[in-house]
Amino acid sequence: MRIALFVTCLADTMFPDAAKATVRLLERLGHEVVFPEAQTCCGQMHINTGYRRDALPLVRRHVRTFAPYDVVVAPSGSCVGSVRHQHADVARSAGDEPLAARADDLATRTYELSELLVDVLGVEDVGAYYPHRVTYHPTCHSLRMLRVGDKPLRLLRNVRGMELLELPAADQCCGFGGTFALKNADTSTAMLADKMRHVLDTGAEVCAAGDSSCLMHIGGGLSRLGAEVRTVHLAEILAATEEGTA
């Protein structure tokens, strides 16, 4: 299968290993991954902060860039959630029904990584090997907007050498929420403290998630505590093998 990688801003600028791991994983499974170089920000942060008019050109560019591809994947439930649930609405609010129709069509072909693997490619064992104690944080957008359910856990349970530890109160938000962490810093910090306590209670070496934004928030907090728990994107774990394990 020929799959287009929607890399996302955060992976491009701060967490490229998540995007690289996505490519390695899909190529190992026998698929061709292409990177449309015209891609930019999908406009999620503009939409979420009320700048819908400024988001419209980004939506238009995103649709134009990825429309030629049958399947699009991103290592981010958050950005896929925006493509699937916000893009067409932004277009319709601006009175651009043709764009909205194209955005609706593209949304049906855009997947978060675990969705692509389980629902489209029909694979739960990707041949990964990761000899660490891992706990998994299901991010809000993947859990509530995309409703990926237990797909990431089904993939992780098939990783050889790994001990998967249940995260208490796993469905509780880590407190990031994009600009929420800036505008409501005290509340965000309190939510992060709860999440970090639960992560540390598991005794895990690694906290995994499908969104680099949440891992950045959790990882920053753990670093300030001096904790030895690492944060690692789901794609990096699934891409790991006995020949090159992190």
Side-chain angles (χ1 to χ4, degrees):
M1 183 178 290
R2 191 165 183 255
I3 302 168
L5 175 65
F6 167 32
V7 73
T8 80
C9 297
L10 207 57
D12 181 47
T13 58
M14 298 182 68
F15 300 100
D17 287 345
K20 292 176 182 178
T22 300
V23 175
R24 288 199 310 275
L25 170 62
L26 293 174
E27 288 183 342
R28 190 176 78 223
L29 293 174
H31 303 283
E32 179 188 1
V33 182
V34 295
F35 179 78
E37 294 186 4
Q39 64 182 284
T40 59
C41 175
C42 67
Q44 179 194 177
M45 62 181 179
H46 304 71
I47 300 167
N48 289 348
T49 48
Y51 294 94
R52 295 171 70 89
R53 182 178 300 176
D54 297 294
L56 184 62
L58 296 170
V59 171
R60 186 172 290 118
R61 184 183 186 95
H62 184 90
V63 171
R64 182 173 65 247
T65 299
F66 287 99
Y69 301 96
D70 292 332
V71 176
V72 181
V73 67
S76 167
S78 177
C79 294
V80 171
S82 183
V83 170
R84 197 175 296 172
H85 295 286
Q86 295 179 325
H87 278 195
D89 183 59
V90 167
R92 286 195 176 91
S93 296
D96 192 337
E97 187 56 39
L99 175 62
R102 294 196 299 274
D104 275 332
D105 177 62
L106 180 58
T108 66
R109 296 180 275 117
T110 302
Y111 300 92
E112 177 267 345
L113 180 59
S114 72
E115 289 182 310
L116 176 72
L117 292 168
V118 176
D119 292 341
V120 180
L121 303 183
V123 59
E124 294 187 14
D125 186 343
V126 299
Y129 174 77
Y130 195 77
H132 300 286
R133 298 189 310 277
V134 176
T135 193
Y136 179 77
H137 165 62
T139 63
C140 290
H141 283 100
S142 65
L143 193 66
R144 296 176 174 86
M145 288 185 74
L146 300 181
R147 300 187 183 279
V148 301
D150 67 345
K151 294 181 183 71
L153 293 172
R154 284 153 64 184
L155 291 160
L156 288 171
R157 289 185 189 119
N158 283 297
V159 175
R160 282 174 280 283
M162 192 183 79
E163 182 182 0
L164 183 60
L165 302 166
E166 184 176 355
L167 180 65
D171 62 347
Q172 292 183 9
C173 178
C174 71
F176 179 63
T179 55
F180 173 84
L182 301 176
K183 294 179 177 179
N184 302 277
D186 290 344
T187 303
S188 173
T189 300
M191 295 169 75
L192 174 61
D194 288 342
K195 181 62 64 174
M196 290 191 297
R197 185 179 71 254
H198 294 315
V199 169
L200 293 172
D201 284 347
T202 67
E205 301 168 73
V206 171
C207 176
D211 278 88
S212 293
S213 52
C214 298
L215 290 174
M216 176 177 64
H217 191 56
I218 297 169
L222 291 169
S223 176
R224 289 189 294 274
L225 286 180
E228 295 183 357
V229 182
R230 293 184 293 140
T231 51
V232 179
H233 195 283
L234 173 68
E236 295 176 74
I237 294 176
L238 298 179
T241 62
E242 291 192 62
E243 290 76 26
T245 302

